[in-house]
Amino acid sequence: MSAARVGIVTFPGTLDDQDAARAVRLAGAEAVPLWHADRDLRGVDAVFLPGGFSYGDYLRCGAISRFAPLMDELIPAARSGLPVLGTCNGFQILCEAHLLPGALTRNAGLHYICRDQRIRVENTDTAWTREFTPGQEIVLPIKHGEGRYVADAQTLAALERDGRVVFRYAGDNPNGSLNDIAGIANEAGNIVGLMPHPEHAVEELTGAPSVDGRGFFTSILKKLVNA
């Protein structure tokens, strides 16, 4: 069987696309570059929306990217089951595109945060978390100024009831996210968004705080190979 193909989307201002591509390759999949202005997903098996500052974070983070031509193809594909992972700015884009509920707002205290962060895995039934164990604590880098997850009470209750909170901040909450939420999934579990950066925690050579991010990419590879 040929290698699974994971698309890496680049918007103007995306910073982490090359890190994302390397993480995908280290897991044994093929990283396929996807340009924001194109209208072709190139037949990929999954998509990764990496972090950065798409369109300079003008308006709201991710609000302009949501209307990129590529998103016209990605949104219906994701709703039909295509696995999609969004980290940091990618998470913001998924929320702006209404593929995930809620929004990411300014950090509590209004300061930019860049540090290593412990998070707890709450849901291992998604396409991107199958290689973890429930309750497992992992360490991933965070680097954001608008990472405070917010949603109305009804949405929060639904996320909690349906087990769609995938990650929570452990130890302390760096940005004031409601319910300590670091990442969530859609109802089907094929779409996951989180503020921490697993693509920066896959290789000891880079000085990463851990290699805990590998689990995201081995999870999706195993799912695609066994599909």
Side-chain angles (χ1 to χ4, degrees), residues 206-226:
T206 63
S210 72
V211 292
D212 293 337
R214 292 178 182 175
F216 290 80
F217 306 102
T218 56
S219 290
I220 190 60
L221 183 60
K222 181 170 291 188
K223 173 179 171 55
L224 295 174
V225 169
N226 294 330

Side-chain angles (χ1 to χ4, degrees), residues 82-122:
L82 180 73
V84 178
L85 177 68
T87 62
C88 200
N89 192 215
F91 185 14
Q92 295 161 343
I93 293 169
L94 291 176
C95 290
E96 289 289 339
H98 304 298
L99 289 172
L100 292 174
L104 285 307
T105 63
R106 292 291 300 275
N107 294 343
L110 306 182
H111 290 293
Y112 184 87
I113 301 168
C114 182
R115 73 186 202 195
D116 300 330
Q117 175 69 40
R118 284 193 300 125
I119 63 173
R120 186 171 62 254
V121 182
E122 302 282 3

Side-chain angles (χ1 to χ4, degrees), residues 54 58-67 89 92-93 96:
S54 59
Y58 294 117
L59 189 59
R60 293 185 311 276
C61 298
I64 301 176
S65 294
R66 177 260 178 271
F67 294 102
N89 192 215
Q92 295 161 343
I93 293 169
E96 289 289 339

Side-chain angles (χ1 to χ4, degrees), residues 186-200:
N186 67 333
E187 292 182 2
N190 62 299
I191 305 172
V192 171
L194 72 159
M195 286 311 295
H197 288 265
E199 72 277 11
H200 294 328

Side-chain angles (χ1 to χ4, degrees), residues 164-179:
R164 292 168 54 194
V165 176
V166 183
F167 301 101
R168 293 188 206 272
Y169 296 111
D172 63 343
N173 184 328
N175 53 34
S177 288
L178 300 183
N179 293 21

Side-chain angles (χ1 to χ4, degrees), residues 17-61:
D17 46 352
Q18 295 306 308
D19 301 80
R22 181 164 180 76
V24 166
R25 290 193 296 268
L26 285 172
E30 177 186 354
V32 180
L34 298 176
W35 184 238
H36 71 105
D38 293 337
R39 295 184 179 274
D40 184 4
L41 292 176
R42 300 180 61 187
V44 296
D45 304 301
V47 168
F48 187 178
L49 297 174
F53 304 90
S54 59
Y55 294 93
D57 282 350
Y58 294 117
L59 189 59
R60 293 185 311 276
C61 298

